[in-house]
């Protein structure tokens, strides 16, 4: 199943894609309460929560947040990106970008969990696998630019890009590298790991937990991080905990060392002075299914549904009053293109204007107030993520009630991340979804906002906005941040046409008990975990 990254796994809450940023301690308290950090202990077990079982954990066949977090325990990337946006070492100790050529020098002595060496030829095999459209990896175009070719010479790897890629290193920093023969044997990766990472997957109990065991001798983590540091856990247990209140209770009772909580329960965890880290994220992002047989294929329907709702109120409800309005599509820190692309482009006007929009487009109210056009009722299937918690359900109900007032027959369905991604990517049985894609550079969103639709591509909503595509193409040809004005203008076209509407940003908090850790592109950076005596 092709998946996208979700805010509940790797960036926590709702649905996200390539990465959330922030990091740092961000909160008071030591492990489990109090202000002192506590003494670190060796040989302990670290237990963290995820909201849904992703099933297949192949790191290159899913960009779901849960898979991305799990992958970070067992796999490495060529380079990493720190909280300030600086590229730091990983499997590679040197790197250079010259036009459409990217060169990496691999670190000596890197080994896979089974003891075999990781080589430049393995990097070539990984890039070739993801870059081959026949494999339908969702990381193609997201982390690996389309048409990329790789070659090895000793310990040097050279990537040749088919076209300019202004933020190519930021993408490759999120590409997990698989070891040896497993690159072409995906079956062993569905419920196992073949990586160079600090941990190896040693137990899987479906819908319950995943257990990872520490590797000795690991010394090629972000910026040279190793597993020789005092206080690193001997095992990591990732438990599937679908209910946010349950996760909060387990944190307070000692049943968990880490969990991301975004709803009302976050306030009582903060009041208990638990340790916490924070990440910036898009939390509310409204998508419409543009497929021909769906109501959203009519631009007037998308426009009216956006005009009708009070987005500011939805943002307040969704974030429990702690969020802000949407700013840009790529809003996860460190943001590559700062600015605003949303506010000035938002369709507004309220229910009265939205009704006029539908009237003018031929959607007439009939029996029971439900509108129809050419014999087709305005029936909407609205799916949203249960990982958004009670605040998410309340916000979804508020939007649905407004659309019913507008004249739509709305069917609401709350789904966990795994089911939601299955719906939007595979079944296609949806009309509106709230699914937040979190990345730091705008180029990573292009496959989701244009081009081939699922299963051939990532464009699950079937978006076809000529102005966005032209603007993104032009911005891609510019070097790095030189193209930012173009990226923001292209995003504004999507909002103006009500193709996709980001409406809520928030700071996502991951709480810890008897442990310290940092967050970055995942909610828990594996090599940062330190277990505490209390």
């Amino acid at each position: 199943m092709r998946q996208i990254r979700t805010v509940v796994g790797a960036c926590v809450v709702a649905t996200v894609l390539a990465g959330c940023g922030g990091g740092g301690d961000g909160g008071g308290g030591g492990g489990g309460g109090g202000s002192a950090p506590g003494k670190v202990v060796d040989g302990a077990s670290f237990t963290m929560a995820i909201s849904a079982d992703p099933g297949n954990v192949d790191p290159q066949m899913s960009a779901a947040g849960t898979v991305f977090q799990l992958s970070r325990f067992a796999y490495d990337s060529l380079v990493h990106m720190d909280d300030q946006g600086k590229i730091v070492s990983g499997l590679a100790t040197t790197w250079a970008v010259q036009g459409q050529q990217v060169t990496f020098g691999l670190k000596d002595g890197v080994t896979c969990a089974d003891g075999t060496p990781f080589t430049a030829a393995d990097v070539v095999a990984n890039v070739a696998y993801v870059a081959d459209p026949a494999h339908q990896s969702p990381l193609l175009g997201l982390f690996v630019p389309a048409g990329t070719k790789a070659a090895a010479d000793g310990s040097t790897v050279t990537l040749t890009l088919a076209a300019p890629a202004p933020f190519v290193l930021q993408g490759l920093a999120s590409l997990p590298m698989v070891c040896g023969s497993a690159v072409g044997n995906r079956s062993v990766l569905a419920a196992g790991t073949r990586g160079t990472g600090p941990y190896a997957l040693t137990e899987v109990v479906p819908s319950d937990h995943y257990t990872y065991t520490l590797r000795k001798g690991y010394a090629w983590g972000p910026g040279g991080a190793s597993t020789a540091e005092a206080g690193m856990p001997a095992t990591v247990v990732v438990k599937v905990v679908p209910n946010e209140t349950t996760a909060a209770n387990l944190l307070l009772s000692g049943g968990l060392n880490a969990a991301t909580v975004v709803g009302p329960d976050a306030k009582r965890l903060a009041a208990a002075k638990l340790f916490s880290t924070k990440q910036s994220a898009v939390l509310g992002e409204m998508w419409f299914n543009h497929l021909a047989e769906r109501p959203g294929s009519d631009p007037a329907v998308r426009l009216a549904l956006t005009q009708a709702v009070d987005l500011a109120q939805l943002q307040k409800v969704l974030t429990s009053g702690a969020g802000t309005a949407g700013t840009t599509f790529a809003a996860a820190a460190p943001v590559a293109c700062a600015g605003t692309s949303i506010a000035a482009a938002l369709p507004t006007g309220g229910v009265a204007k939205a009704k006029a929009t539908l009237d003018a487009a031929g959607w007439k109210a009939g029996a029971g107030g439900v509108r129809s056009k050419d014999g087709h009722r305005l029936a909407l299937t609205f799916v949203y993520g249960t990982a958004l918690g009670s605040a998410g359900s309340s916000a979804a109900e508020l939007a649905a009630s407004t659309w019913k007032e507008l004249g739509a027959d709305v069917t609401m369905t709350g789904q966990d991340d795994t089911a939601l991604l299955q719906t939007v990517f595979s079944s296609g049985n949806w009309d509106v979804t709230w699914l937040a894609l979190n990345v730091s550079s705008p180029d990573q969103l292009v496959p989701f906002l244009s081009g081939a639709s699922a299963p051939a591509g990532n464009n699950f909503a079937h978006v076809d906005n000529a102005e966005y595509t032209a603007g993104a193409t032009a911005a891609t040809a510019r070097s790095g941040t030189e193209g930012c004005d173009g990226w923001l203008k292209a995003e504004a076209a999507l909002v103006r046409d009500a193709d996709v509407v980001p409406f809520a940003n928030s700071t996502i908090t991951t709480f810890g008990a008897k442990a310290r850790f940092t967050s970055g592109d995942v909610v828990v950076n594996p090599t940062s975990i330190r277990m505490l005596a209390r």
Side-chain angles (χ1 to χ4, degrees), residues 93-399:
T93 55
T94 63
W95 52 90
V97 179
Q98 294 182 320
Q100 291 173 212
Q101 194 167 80
V102 188
T103 304
F104 296 95
L106 297 191
K107 181 180 178 64
D108 292 334
V110 175
T111 60
C112 300
D114 62 3
T116 59
F118 184 83
T119 68
D122 292 328
V123 176
V124 172
N126 275 267
V127 173
Y129 182 87
V130 174
D132 186 346
H135 296 144
Q136 297 187 354
S137 170
L139 307 190
L140 175 57
L142 173 59
F143 300 146
V144 176
T148 298
K149 304 293 184 182
D153 181 7
S155 62
T156 299
V157 175
T158 300
L159 306 186
T160 302
L161 311 181
F167 304 104
V168 62
L169 288 178
Q170 286 88 333
L172 291 170
S174 295
L175 178 66
M177 289 286 159
V178 174
C179 285
S181 61
V183 174
N185 181 16
R186 314 311 291 194
S187 61
V188 301
L189 302 177
T193 56
R194 300 292 190 276
T196 64
Y199 290 84
L201 181 60
T202 51
E203 182 184 41
V204 176
V205 179
S207 300
D208 189 83
H209 71 270
Y210 293 77
T211 300
Y212 293 81
T213 301
L214 187 70
R215 291 186 58 198
K216 294 182 179 180
Y218 175 90
W220 44 85
S226 76
T227 55
E229 298 293 333
M232 284 198 69
T235 58
V236 172
V237 180
V238 183
K239 291 185 65 67
V240 180
V241 185
N243 185 278
E244 196 170 74
T245 298
T246 301
N249 291 339
L250 287 170
L251 271 172
L252 293 171
S253 67
L256 286 174
N257 298 111
T260 301
V261 178
V262 298
D265 288 294
K267 294 182 179 179
R268 65 186 176 103
L269 294 177
K273 299 187 183 302
L274 292 186
F275 164 77
S276 63
T277 63
K278 300 180 184 298
Q279 297 170 288
S280 57
V282 177
L283 190 60
E285 191 163 46
M286 186 156 57
W287 296 73
F288 304 101
N289 192 340
H290 298 216
L291 199 60
E293 60 265 26
R294 315 300 298 202
S297 63
D298 187 339
V301 170
R302 303 195 302 270
L303 180 62
L305 293 177
T306 306
Q307 290 173 325
V309 293
D310 184 338
L311 293 174
Q313 183 62 24
L314 287 182
Q315 172 257 308
K316 289 179 180 178
V317 175
L318 179 63
T319 65
S320 299
T324 59
T327 53
T328 64
F329 279 62
V335 175
C337 288
T340 57
S341 61
I342 297 169
L346 281 173
T348 58
V351 174
K353 188 170 183 179
K355 286 182 176 180
T357 296
L358 290 179
D359 287 340
W363 289 93
K364 304 302 182 183
V370 176
R371 293 175 179 268
S372 61
K373 178 181 180 180
D374 299 331
H376 298 285
R377 299 171 75 248
L378 185 53
L380 303 175
T381 297
F382 175 27
V383 295
Y384 62 95
T386 53
L388 289 167
S390 58
S393 298
S394 296
E397 289 170 0
L398 177 59

Side-chain angles (χ1 to χ4, degrees), residues 33-48:
S35 59
K39 182 180 179 180
V40 300
V41 295
D42 292 324
S45 181
F46 175 83
T47 304
M48 66 173 289

